mmCIF file with all atom_site columns, all heavy atoms in Angstrom:
data_model
loop_
_atom_site.group_PDB
_atom_site.id
_atom_site.type_symbol
_atom_site.label_atom_id
_atom_site.label_alt_id
_atom_site.label_comp_id
_atom_site.label_asym_id
_atom_site.label_entity_id
_atom_site.label_seq_id
_atom_site.pdbx_PDB_ins_code
_atom_site.Cartn_x
_atom_site.Cartn_y
_atom_site.Cartn_z
_atom_site.occupancy
_atom_site.B_iso_or_equiv
_atom_site.pdbx_formal_charge
_atom_site.auth_seq_id
_atom_site.auth_comp_id
_atom_site.auth_asym_id
_atom_site.auth_atom_id
_atom_site.pdbx_PDB_model_num
ATOM 1   N N   . GLY A 1 36 ? -76.619 32.478 270.453 1.00 94.00 ? 36 GLY A N   1
ATOM 2   C CA  . GLY A 1 36 ? -77.362 33.262 269.438 1.00 94.00 ? 36 GLY A CA  1
ATOM 3   C C   . GLY A 1 36 ? -77.708 34.656 269.951 1.00 94.00 ? 36 GLY A C   1
ATOM 4   O O   . GLY A 1 36 ? -77.567 35.618 269.281 1.00 94.00 ? 36 GLY A O   1
ATOM 5   N N   . VAL A 1 37 ? -78.167 34.560 271.323 1.00 96.00 ? 37 VAL A N   1
ATOM 6   C CA  . VAL A 1 37 ? -78.562 35.975 271.875 1.00 96.00 ? 37 VAL A CA  1
ATOM 7   C C   . VAL A 1 37 ? -77.251 36.831 272.072 1.00 96.00 ? 37 VAL A C   1
ATOM 8   O O   . VAL A 1 37 ? -77.320 38.110 271.597 1.00 96.00 ? 37 VAL A O   1
ATOM 9   C CB  . VAL A 1 37 ? -79.034 35.694 273.191 1.00 96.00 ? 37 VAL A CB  1
ATOM 10  C CG1 . VAL A 1 37 ? -79.386 36.912 274.114 1.00 96.00 ? 37 VAL A CG1 1
ATOM 11  C CG2 . VAL A 1 37 ? -80.318 34.737 273.211 1.00 96.00 ? 37 VAL A CG2 1
ATOM 12  N N   . ASP A 1 38 ? -76.175 36.239 272.382 1.00 96.00 ? 38 ASP A N   1
ATOM 13  C CA  . ASP A 1 38 ? -74.892 36.967 272.390 1.00 96.00 ? 38 ASP A CA  1
ATOM 14  C C   . ASP A 1 38 ? -74.655 37.547 271.110 1.00 96.00 ? 38 ASP A C   1
ATOM 15  O O   . ASP A 1 38 ? -74.215 38.773 271.092 1.00 96.00 ? 38 ASP A O   1
ATOM 16  C CB  . ASP A 1 38 ? -73.759 36.113 272.932 1.00 96.00 ? 38 ASP A CB  1
ATOM 17  C CG  . ASP A 1 38 ? -72.475 36.842 273.192 1.00 96.00 ? 38 ASP A CG  1
ATOM 18  O OD1 . ASP A 1 38 ? -72.677 37.978 273.814 1.00 96.00 ? 38 ASP A OD1 1
ATOM 19  O OD2 . ASP A 1 38 ? -71.493 36.287 273.038 1.00 96.00 ? 38 ASP A OD2 1
ATOM 20  N N   . GLY A 1 39 ? -74.711 36.785 270.008 1.00 96.00 ? 39 GLY A N   1
ATOM 21  C CA  . GLY A 1 39 ? -74.513 37.351 268.568 1.00 96.00 ? 39 GLY A CA  1
ATOM 22  C C   . GLY A 1 39 ? -75.413 38.461 268.289 1.00 96.00 ? 39 GLY A C   1
ATOM 23  O O   . GLY A 1 39 ? -74.938 39.548 267.770 1.00 96.00 ? 39 GLY A O   1
ATOM 24  N N   . ALA A 1 40 ? -76.742 38.250 268.677 1.00 95.00 ? 40 ALA A N   1
ATOM 25  C CA  . ALA A 1 40 ? -77.553 39.459 268.331 1.00 95.00 ? 40 ALA A CA  1
ATOM 26  C C   . ALA A 1 40 ? -77.256 40.619 269.151 1.00 95.00 ? 40 ALA A C   1
ATOM 27  O O   . ALA A 1 40 ? -77.580 41.814 268.774 1.00 95.00 ? 40 ALA A O   1
ATOM 28  C CB  . ALA A 1 40 ? -78.962 38.992 268.769 1.00 95.00 ? 40 ALA A CB  1
ATOM 29  N N   . LEU A 1 41 ? -76.634 40.575 270.265 1.00 96.00 ? 41 LEU A N   1
ATOM 30  C CA  . LEU A 1 41 ? -76.207 41.707 271.040 1.00 96.00 ? 41 LEU A CA  1
ATOM 31  C C   . LEU A 1 41 ? -74.682 42.131 270.752 1.00 96.00 ? 41 LEU A C   1
ATOM 32  O O   . LEU A 1 41 ? -73.964 42.758 271.477 1.00 96.00 ? 41 LEU A O   1
ATOM 33  C CB  . LEU A 1 41 ? -76.309 41.461 272.606 1.00 96.00 ? 41 LEU A CB  1
ATOM 34  C CG  . LEU A 1 41 ? -77.635 41.148 273.076 1.00 96.00 ? 41 LEU A CG  1
ATOM 35  C CD1 . LEU A 1 41 ? -77.739 40.853 274.614 1.00 96.00 ? 41 LEU A CD1 1
ATOM 36  C CD2 . LEU A 1 41 ? -78.682 42.271 272.667 1.00 96.00 ? 41 LEU A CD2 1
ATOM 37  N N   . ASP A 1 42 ? -74.149 41.705 269.460 1.00 95.00 ? 42 ASP A N   1
ATOM 38  C CA  . ASP A 1 42 ? -72.895 42.066 269.081 1.00 95.00 ? 42 ASP A CA  1
ATOM 39  C C   . ASP A 1 42 ? -71.833 41.618 270.098 1.00 95.00 ? 42 ASP A C   1
ATOM 40  O O   . ASP A 1 42 ? -70.882 42.361 270.409 1.00 95.00 ? 42 ASP A O   1
ATOM 41  C CB  . ASP A 1 42 ? -72.623 43.581 268.851 1.00 95.00 ? 42 ASP A CB  1
ATOM 42  C CG  . ASP A 1 42 ? -73.619 44.081 267.819 1.00 95.00 ? 42 ASP A CG  1
ATOM 43  O OD1 . ASP A 1 42 ? -73.795 43.338 266.864 1.00 95.00 ? 42 ASP A OD1 1
ATOM 44  O OD2 . ASP A 1 42 ? -74.116 45.293 268.019 1.00 95.00 ? 42 ASP A OD2 1
ATOM 45  N N   . GLY A 1 43 ? -72.202 40.435 270.700 1.00 96.00 ? 43 GLY A N   1
ATOM 46  C CA  . GLY A 1 43 ? -71.099 39.835 271.621 1.00 96.00 ? 43 GLY A CA  1
ATOM 47  C C   . GLY A 1 43 ? -71.014 40.476 272.954 1.00 96.00 ? 43 GLY A C   1
ATOM 48  O O   . GLY A 1 43 ? -70.039 40.344 273.741 1.00 96.00 ? 43 GLY A O   1
ATOM 49  N N   . ARG A 1 44 ? -72.021 41.300 273.351 1.00 96.00 ? 44 ARG A N   1
ATOM 50  C CA  . ARG A 1 44 ? -71.909 42.101 274.552 1.00 96.00 ? 44 ARG A CA  1
ATOM 51  C C   . ARG A 1 44 ? -72.842 41.544 275.695 1.00 96.00 ? 44 ARG A C   1
ATOM 52  O O   . ARG A 1 44 ? -73.293 42.301 276.555 1.00 96.00 ? 44 ARG A O   1
ATOM 53  C CB  . ARG A 1 44 ? -72.216 43.536 274.284 1.00 96.00 ? 44 ARG A CB  1
ATOM 54  C CG  . ARG A 1 44 ? -71.326 44.145 273.171 1.00 96.00 ? 44 ARG A CG  1
ATOM 55  C CD  . ARG A 1 44 ? -71.600 45.592 272.936 1.00 96.00 ? 44 ARG A CD  1
ATOM 56  N NE  . ARG A 1 44 ? -71.324 46.432 273.997 1.00 96.00 ? 44 ARG A NE  1
ATOM 57  C CZ  . ARG A 1 44 ? -71.498 47.786 274.031 1.00 96.00 ? 44 ARG A CZ  1
ATOM 58  N NH1 . ARG A 1 44 ? -71.936 48.386 272.881 1.00 96.00 ? 44 ARG A NH1 1
ATOM 59  N NH2 . ARG A 1 44 ? -71.241 48.452 275.024 1.00 96.00 ? 44 ARG A NH2 1
ATOM 60  N N   . LEU A 1 45 ? -73.409 40.343 275.592 1.00 97.00 ? 45 LEU A N   1
ATOM 61  C CA  . LEU A 1 45 ? -74.279 39.806 276.534 1.00 97.00 ? 45 LEU A CA  1
ATOM 62  C C   . LEU A 1 45 ? -73.725 39.796 277.976 1.00 97.00 ? 45 LEU A C   1
ATOM 63  O O   . LEU A 1 45 ? -74.297 40.272 278.854 1.00 97.00 ? 45 LEU A O   1
ATOM 64  C CB  . LEU A 1 45 ? -74.667 38.444 276.125 1.00 97.00 ? 45 LEU A CB  1
ATOM 65  C CG  . LEU A 1 45 ? -75.641 37.657 277.159 1.00 97.00 ? 45 LEU A CG  1
ATOM 66  C CD1 . LEU A 1 45 ? -76.973 38.349 277.307 1.00 97.00 ? 45 LEU A CD1 1
ATOM 67  C CD2 . LEU A 1 45 ? -75.954 36.175 276.566 1.00 97.00 ? 45 LEU A CD2 1
ATOM 68  N N   . ALA A 1 46 ? -72.407 39.283 278.068 1.00 96.00 ? 46 ALA A N   1
ATOM 69  C CA  . ALA A 1 46 ? -71.794 39.332 279.375 1.00 96.00 ? 46 ALA A CA  1
ATOM 70  C C   . ALA A 1 46 ? -71.671 40.588 279.939 1.00 96.00 ? 46 ALA A C   1
ATOM 71  O O   . ALA A 1 46 ? -71.895 40.832 281.218 1.00 96.00 ? 46 ALA A O   1
ATOM 72  C CB  . ALA A 1 46 ? -70.318 38.660 279.234 1.00 96.00 ? 46 ALA A CB  1
ATOM 73  N N   . GLU A 1 47 ? -71.302 41.538 279.145 1.00 96.00 ? 47 GLU A N   1
ATOM 74  C CA  . GLU A 1 47 ? -71.128 42.968 279.688 1.00 96.00 ? 47 GLU A CA  1
ATOM 75  C C   . GLU A 1 47 ? -72.461 43.411 280.076 1.00 96.00 ? 47 GLU A C   1
ATOM 76  O O   . GLU A 1 47 ? -72.517 44.217 281.174 1.00 96.00 ? 47 GLU A O   1
ATOM 77  C CB  . GLU A 1 47 ? -70.599 43.725 278.480 1.00 96.00 ? 47 GLU A CB  1
ATOM 78  C CG  . GLU A 1 47 ? -70.345 45.236 278.751 1.00 96.00 ? 47 GLU A CG  1
ATOM 79  C CD  . GLU A 1 47 ? -70.011 46.029 277.424 1.00 96.00 ? 47 GLU A CD  1
ATOM 80  O OE1 . GLU A 1 47 ? -69.593 45.369 276.453 1.00 96.00 ? 47 GLU A OE1 1
ATOM 81  O OE2 . GLU A 1 47 ? -70.343 47.187 277.410 1.00 96.00 ? 47 GLU A OE2 1
ATOM 82  N N   . ALA A 1 48 ? -73.565 43.256 279.412 1.00 96.00 ? 48 ALA A N   1
ATOM 83  C CA  . ALA A 1 48 ? -74.890 43.631 279.745 1.00 96.00 ? 48 ALA A CA  1
ATOM 84  C C   . ALA A 1 48 ? -75.352 43.012 281.115 1.00 96.00 ? 48 ALA A C   1
ATOM 85  O O   . ALA A 1 48 ? -75.822 43.616 281.997 1.00 96.00 ? 48 ALA A O   1
ATOM 86  C CB  . ALA A 1 48 ? -75.927 43.384 278.711 1.00 96.00 ? 48 ALA A CB  1
ATOM 87  N N   . LEU A 1 49 ? -75.053 41.756 281.273 1.00 96.00 ? 49 LEU A N   1
ATOM 88  C CA  . LEU A 1 49 ? -75.465 41.026 282.432 1.00 96.00 ? 49 LEU A CA  1
ATOM 89  C C   . LEU A 1 49 ? -74.651 41.641 283.680 1.00 96.00 ? 49 LEU A C   1
ATOM 90  O O   . LEU A 1 49 ? -75.225 41.863 284.689 1.00 96.00 ? 49 LEU A O   1
ATOM 91  C CB  . LEU A 1 49 ? -75.067 39.470 282.294 1.00 96.00 ? 49 LEU A CB  1
ATOM 92  C CG  . LEU A 1 49 ? -75.992 38.731 281.385 1.00 96.00 ? 49 LEU A CG  1
ATOM 93  C CD1 . LEU A 1 49 ? -75.473 37.380 281.305 1.00 96.00 ? 49 LEU A CD1 1
ATOM 94  C CD2 . LEU A 1 49 ? -77.381 38.653 282.021 1.00 96.00 ? 49 LEU A CD2 1
ATOM 95  N N   . LYS A 1 50 ? -73.359 41.892 283.479 1.00 95.00 ? 50 LYS A N   1
ATOM 96  C CA  . LYS A 1 50 ? -72.518 42.472 284.647 1.00 95.00 ? 50 LYS A CA  1
ATOM 97  C C   . LYS A 1 50 ? -73.119 43.848 284.932 1.00 95.00 ? 50 LYS A C   1
ATOM 98  O O   . LYS A 1 50 ? -73.410 44.189 286.046 1.00 95.00 ? 50 LYS A O   1
ATOM 99  C CB  . LYS A 1 50 ? -71.120 42.549 284.184 1.00 95.00 ? 50 LYS A CB  1
ATOM 100 C CG  . LYS A 1 50 ? -70.391 41.220 284.255 1.00 95.00 ? 50 LYS A CG  1
ATOM 101 C CD  . LYS A 1 50 ? -68.994 41.338 284.688 1.00 95.00 ? 50 LYS A CD  1
ATOM 102 C CE  . LYS A 1 50 ? -68.280 39.998 284.660 1.00 95.00 ? 50 LYS A CE  1
ATOM 103 N NZ  . LYS A 1 50 ? -67.943 39.524 283.223 1.00 95.00 ? 50 LYS A NZ  1
ATOM 104 N N   . ALA A 1 51 ? -73.565 44.556 283.911 1.00 95.00 ? 51 ALA A N   1
ATOM 105 C CA  . ALA A 1 51 ? -74.099 46.005 284.142 1.00 95.00 ? 51 ALA A CA  1
ATOM 106 C C   . ALA A 1 51 ? -75.324 45.890 285.050 1.00 95.00 ? 51 ALA A C   1
ATOM 107 O O   . ALA A 1 51 ? -75.478 46.840 285.710 1.00 95.00 ? 51 ALA A O   1
ATOM 108 C CB  . ALA A 1 51 ? -74.200 46.700 282.797 1.00 95.00 ? 51 ALA A CB  1
ATOM 109 N N   . VAL A 1 52 ? -76.093 44.896 284.831 1.00 94.00 ? 52 VAL A N   1
ATOM 110 C CA  . VAL A 1 52 ? -77.337 44.964 285.664 1.00 94.00 ? 52 VAL A CA  1
ATOM 111 C C   . VAL A 1 52 ? -77.289 44.169 287.013 1.00 94.00 ? 52 VAL A C   1
ATOM 112 O O   . VAL A 1 52 ? -78.132 43.947 287.685 1.00 94.00 ? 52 VAL A O   1
ATOM 113 C CB  . VAL A 1 52 ? -78.617 44.341 284.924 1.00 94.00 ? 52 VAL A CB  1
ATOM 114 C CG1 . VAL A 1 52 ? -78.922 45.263 283.738 1.00 94.00 ? 52 VAL A CG1 1
ATOM 115 C CG2 . VAL A 1 52 ? -78.298 42.913 284.440 1.00 94.00 ? 52 VAL A CG2 1
ATOM 116 N N   . GLY A 1 53 ? -75.890 43.739 287.208 1.00 94.00 ? 53 GLY A N   1
ATOM 117 C CA  . GLY A 1 53 ? -75.647 43.173 288.650 1.00 94.00 ? 53 GLY A CA  1
ATOM 118 C C   . GLY A 1 53 ? -75.807 41.664 288.617 1.00 94.00 ? 53 GLY A C   1
ATOM 119 O O   . GLY A 1 53 ? -75.946 41.198 289.722 1.00 94.00 ? 53 GLY A O   1
ATOM 120 N N   . ALA A 1 54 ? -75.984 40.912 287.524 1.00 96.00 ? 54 ALA A N   1
ATOM 121 C CA  . ALA A 1 54 ? -76.060 39.562 287.414 1.00 96.00 ? 54 ALA A CA  1
ATOM 122 C C   . ALA A 1 54 ? -74.825 38.874 288.178 1.00 96.00 ? 54 ALA A C   1
ATOM 123 O O   . ALA A 1 54 ? -73.828 39.297 287.855 1.00 96.00 ? 54 ALA A O   1
ATOM 124 C CB  . ALA A 1 54 ? -76.321 38.914 286.121 1.00 96.00 ? 54 ALA A CB  1
ATOM 125 N N   . THR A 1 55 ? -75.121 37.900 288.976 1.00 96.00 ? 55 THR A N   1
ATOM 126 C CA  . THR A 1 55 ? -73.971 37.150 289.489 1.00 96.00 ? 55 THR A CA  1
ATOM 127 C C   . THR A 1 55 ? -74.032 35.764 289.100 1.00 96.00 ? 55 THR A C   1
ATOM 128 O O   . THR A 1 55 ? -73.012 34.983 289.238 1.00 96.00 ? 55 THR A O   1
ATOM 129 C CB  . THR A 1 55 ? -74.035 37.182 291.118 1.00 96.00 ? 55 THR A CB  1
ATOM 130 O OG1 . THR A 1 55 ? -75.272 36.547 291.507 1.00 96.00 ? 55 THR A OG1 1
ATOM 131 C CG2 . THR A 1 55 ? -74.133 38.711 291.573 1.00 96.00 ? 55 THR A CG2 1
ATOM 132 N N   . GLY A 1 56 ? -75.117 35.240 288.670 1.00 96.00 ? 56 GLY A N   1
ATOM 133 C CA  . GLY A 1 56 ? -75.235 33.768 288.362 1.00 96.00 ? 56 GLY A CA  1
ATOM 134 C C   . GLY A 1 56 ? -75.584 32.922 289.497 1.00 96.00 ? 56 GLY A C   1
ATOM 135 O O   . GLY A 1 56 ? -75.552 31.594 289.395 1.00 96.00 ? 56 GLY A O   1
ATOM 136 N N   . LYS A 1 57 ? -75.854 33.388 290.698 1.00 96.00 ? 57 LYS A N   1
ATOM 137 C CA  . LYS A 1 57 ? -76.145 32.689 291.818 1.00 96.00 ? 57 LYS A CA  1
ATOM 138 C C   . LYS A 1 57 ? -77.591 31.960 291.607 1.00 96.00 ? 57 LYS A C   1
ATOM 139 O O   . LYS A 1 57 ? -78.487 32.351 290.970 1.00 96.00 ? 57 LYS A O   1
ATOM 140 C CB  . LYS A 1 57 ? -76.402 33.473 293.059 1.00 96.00 ? 57 LYS A CB  1
ATOM 141 C CG  . LYS A 1 57 ? -75.149 33.851 293.854 1.00 96.00 ? 57 LYS A CG  1
ATOM 142 C CD  . LYS A 1 57 ? -75.357 34.125 295.302 1.00 96.00 ? 57 LYS A CD  1
ATOM 143 C CE  . LYS A 1 57 ? -76.263 35.316 295.476 1.00 96.00 ? 57 LYS A CE  1
ATOM 144 N NZ  . LYS A 1 57 ? -75.794 36.513 296.084 1.00 96.00 ? 57 LYS A NZ  1
ATOM 145 N N   . ALA A 1 58 ? -77.692 30.622 292.229 1.00 95.00 ? 58 ALA A N   1
ATOM 146 C CA  . ALA A 1 58 ? -78.910 29.888 291.998 1.00 95.00 ? 58 ALA A CA  1
ATOM 147 C C   . ALA A 1 58 ? -79.945 30.684 292.618 1.00 95.00 ? 58 ALA A C   1
ATOM 148 O O   . ALA A 1 58 ? -79.895 31.426 293.667 1.00 95.00 ? 58 ALA A O   1
ATOM 149 C CB  . ALA A 1 58 ? -78.711 28.640 292.788 1.00 95.00 ? 58 ALA A CB  1
ATOM 150 N N   . GLY A 1 59 ? -81.157 30.654 291.872 1.00 95.00 ? 59 GLY A N   1
ATOM 151 C CA  . GLY A 1 59 ? -82.397 31.492 292.365 1.00 95.00 ? 59 GLY A CA  1
ATOM 152 C C   . GLY A 1 59 ? -82.451 32.875 291.820 1.00 95.00 ? 59 GLY A C   1
ATOM 153 O O   . GLY A 1 59 ? -83.590 33.575 291.795 1.00 95.00 ? 59 GLY A O   1
#
Side-chain angles (χ1 to χ4, degrees):
V37 176
D38 191 35
L41 298 180
D42 300 325
R44 300 180 68 181
L45 176 59
E47 184 189 335
L49 286 170
K50 285 216 182 73
V52 296
T55 65
K57 274 204 305 242

